[in-house]
Amino acid sequence: GHQFMHNERLGYICACPTNIGTGLRCSVHIQLHNLCKHPKFDDVVKALDLQKRGSAGEHTAAVDDIYDLSNFARLKKTEREFVQVVIDGVMKIIELEQALENGDDIDEKLQNIGIEC
């Protein structure tokens, strides 16, 4: 503990360790009328290394099925890598949303991202 908190050059760390380093939070607001009602929605978000929040941010509800999706991790990647995680994850979520909108079964797509149905 204490050795981690102090650095000879920088002094004491006065921030939560999850907010040091890159610390980038890249987010997208997206309306998900169908996927948000699917029982595996939370699993999808987690499997794609994303985090979901409500329309107005952390600890808020999603108004009109609009969610704030962002990268879950904040450390150990470059800014470019964090942004790419969000782009790739949101593209997959759009694919799932469109499939549900068309009345298609998404079990195979869920299995392809590591979610058991």
Side-chain angles (χ1 to χ4, degrees), residues 67-81:
Y67 290 86
D68 175 332
L69 299 178
S70 63
N71 49 303
F72 180 77
R74 306 286 195 269
L75 297 172
K76 295 189 177 183
K77 292 187 183 191
T78 67
E79 290 87 346
R80 182 174 187 229
E81 290 171 316

Side-chain angles (χ1 to χ4, degrees), residues 28 30 32 35 44-45 47-50 69-71 81-97 113:
V28 173
I30 186 168
L32 302 168
L35 187 57
V44 168
V45 172
L48 297 172
D49 292 325
L50 299 175
L69 299 178
S70 63
N71 49 303
E81 290 171 316
F82 284 132
V83 171
Q84 194 63 55
V85 165
V86 174
I87 291 169
D88 294 343
V90 169
M91 293 298 291
K92 181 58 75 176
I93 283 176
I94 290 170
E95 178 186 327
L96 294 169
E97 177 70 14
I113 60 172

Side-chain angles (χ1 to χ4, degrees), residues 25-45:
R25 180 178 178 274
C26 172
S27 70
V28 173
H29 281 173
I30 186 168
Q31 191 168 42
L32 302 168
H33 289 308
N34 300 291
L35 187 57
C36 73
K37 294 170 182 68
H38 194 280
K40 298 288 186 174
F41 180 44
D42 288 342
D43 295 332
V44 168
V45 172

